[in-house]
Amino acid sequence: MKLLIVVDKLLTGFDAPPATYLYIDKSMRDHGLFQAICRVNRVNGEEKDFGYIFDYQDLFQSITSSIEDYTSEAFDGYEQEDVNGLLSNRLEEGKKSLEEALQAVVTLCETVYPQTREGFFAWFVYSETTPAELQTQEMETNAEKREKLYRFVNQFVRRYLDVANEMQKIGYSADESRKIKEQVDFYNDLKDEIKLKSGDALDTKMYDPAMRQLIDAYVRAEDSETLFNFDDVSFLDLVAMEGKNAIGKLPKNIRDNFQSVAEALQANMRKVFIYERPNNPAYYDKLSDILQKLIDEVRQGRITYREHIGKLIELIQQHKNRTQFSYPASITSDAMRVLYDNLNNDEELTLKVHNAIITNAMDGWKDGTPPQKTKKVRLAIAQAMKLDASDEKVINLLTIAKNQPEY
């Protein structure tokens, strides 16, 4: 049995929440001091490997004594060399952790060849030579490698920040410190670029409608008062509003390369199209086809990446403003436009199905509680479409209708 396991069992016995920093500015001793130490010694997630104690009362000897008092019996069966090091030198451990984190990143990336932006993109996302229909599959296959890259780089950055202001104290020369800083910047920029290109960068705005629906359904509160309107728009929203000016807000290593900008836009658009597709399959399938044609156009050299970016921005703006496709004057709401898209642009049938849903939808029909409410809407849709209620087209349209807030 390792010492770490015993310490973990010993420390988890306290109910106080864990902490990362402990500032000792008053006299403490025995049980109280030991319990305080335990709070910063508990590792409660990937973001924390150890805690820090700032001892303003010169209690180091008391800390050592408290640990000995409260752990002596627990450590009776262990060799002295195993017990040594329970209290570690922060700078020594910081240097060791930094070098281990750097080695982990270097080892992960050393298999990439060539060591260029194209090489890293091919290894962690998909190759430029991969056919369009196989890119998503290759990107999913490489997801585990990307997750490992994100985790290792984040750990490397944290280890560097732990000792960044004390590099010479822990034995690095000025030149060595500069080289490590360059490696931190390189790998952190690489991580950000891979996230953007793969669409892994979390766009919280994408999940706002679903989250609002959950809050409206399960949380009750007084009307909120707007104190400040934060500019928390997504990357694609920013592109839709500011056009090419939004490109300036990308990381420098991406915005300075037209191909990188285009790939970041493509990845984010694909991710939005895939996520939103259940709400309007026909519409997003059309957008995906348009996007693919634009990608093929630049890959075949018919236009430059600069021109390609302009067309991508135009497509994003048309999508956000719903001006990509035109609708009859009678199709006046978002829900009706969705039906129109998925009923082969049949205006008359769209109005019939819309009225059938509006007339027969009762409170709770989407949840199927009771199931008769959902069945009633399905039968109404089937009647409007002149199909059997079990027909796949009816079932698919029912699912689409459930995703429309208007219904």
Side-chain angles (χ1 to χ4, degrees), residues 3-5 7 31 53-54 116 125 127 132 154 160 165 213 229 242 246 249 258 299 311 320 400:
L3 175 63
L4 178 61
I5 298 175
V7 173
H31 176 271
I53 299 176
F54 294 84
T116 61
V125 190
S127 172
N154 286 340
Y160 175 73
N165 295 325
Q213 185 176 4
N229 186 19
E242 298 188 9
K249 294 180 170 61
F258 288 134
R299 284 184 175 173
K311 291 190 176 185
K320 292 294 182 181
I400 293 170

Side-chain angles (χ1 to χ4, degrees), residues 7 11 24 27 34 87 123 128 146 172 188 250 267 284 334 345 354 391:
V7 173
L11 299 187
I24 302 178
S27 180
F34 184 62
L87 282 173
W123 182 254
E128 291 294 324
R146 291 198 303 278
Y172 291 110
N188 198 45
L250 286 171
Y284 285 101
D334 288 339
N345 297 355
H354 172 72
D391 191 284

Side-chain angles (χ1 to χ4, degrees), residues 89-273:
N89 182 284
R90 179 180 66 84
L91 294 180
E92 290 178 2
E93 291 298 316
K95 181 178 182 180
K96 178 183 176 183
S97 298
L98 173 63
E99 292 178 347
E100 289 176 350
L102 171 58
Q103 187 57 49
V105 176
V106 171
T107 301
L108 176 65
C109 293
E110 66 184 2
T111 54
V112 178
Y113 182 82
Q115 293 272 311
T116 61
R117 55 172 301 284
E118 292 81 8
F120 283 110
F121 188 45
W123 182 254
F124 289 105
V125 190
Y126 58 76
S127 172
E128 291 294 324
T129 59
T130 301
E133 64 272 14
L134 298 178
Q135 288 174 0
T136 300
Q137 180 180 344
E138 185 175 340
M139 191 161 58
E140 291 175 353
T141 301
N142 292 328
E144 186 174 345
K145 289 192 289 189
R146 291 198 303 278
E147 286 299 322
K148 189 176 289 187
L149 173 71
Y150 304 154
R151 187 169 69 253
F152 284 5
V153 172
N154 286 340
Q155 187 177 54
F156 177 37
V157 172
R158 291 201 307 273
R159 295 296 166 272
Y160 175 73
L161 292 176
D162 286 338
V163 295
N165 295 325
E166 300 165 299
M167 294 292 282
Q168 293 187 351
K169 284 185 180 180
I170 60 179
Y172 291 110
S173 66
D175 187 55
E176 289 172 330
S177 300
R178 178 185 55 78
K179 289 180 179 179
I180 291 178
K181 175 63 165 60
E182 290 174 354
Q183 287 176 302
V184 170
D185 291 340
F186 171 77
Y187 287 115
N188 198 45
D189 288 343
L190 174 65
K191 177 201 69 175
D192 291 342
E193 186 170 0
I194 293 295
K195 274 192 171 185
L196 276 171
K197 289 183 177 179
S198 63
D200 287 342
L202 181 61
D203 189 349
T204 56
K205 289 293 290 181
M206 187 188 303
Y207 304 97
D208 277 359
M211 186 57 65
R212 279 196 295 269
Q213 185 176 4
L214 285 173
I215 292 173
D216 290 342
Y218 299 107
V219 179
R220 294 289 181 270
E222 297 298 326
D223 290 340
S224 60
E225 177 185 356
T226 300
L227 299 178
F228 186 79
N229 186 19
F230 290 94
D231 187 19
D232 58 343
V233 296
S234 72
F235 174 51
L236 294 188
D237 286 334
L238 197 62
V239 172
M241 290 188 297
E242 298 188 9
K244 292 183 179 180
N245 291 334
I247 305 303
K249 294 180 170 61
L250 286 171
K252 186 178 186 300
N253 60 313
I254 294 181
R255 68 174 181 259
D256 290 344
N257 184 296
F258 288 134
Q259 185 175 348
S260 293
V261 171
E263 289 165 351
L265 288 170
Q266 293 165 12
N268 281 271
M269 292 169 74
R270 283 189 188 279
K271 190 164 188 177
V272 169
F273 293 173

Side-chain angles (χ1 to χ4, degrees), residues 274-291:
I274 292 171
Y275 179 79
E276 295 287 352
R277 187 182 181 279
N279 298 329
N280 191 344
Y283 173 79
Y284 285 101
D285 285 347
K286 289 179 183 177
L287 286 185
S288 296
D289 289 342
I290 294 172
L291 175 60

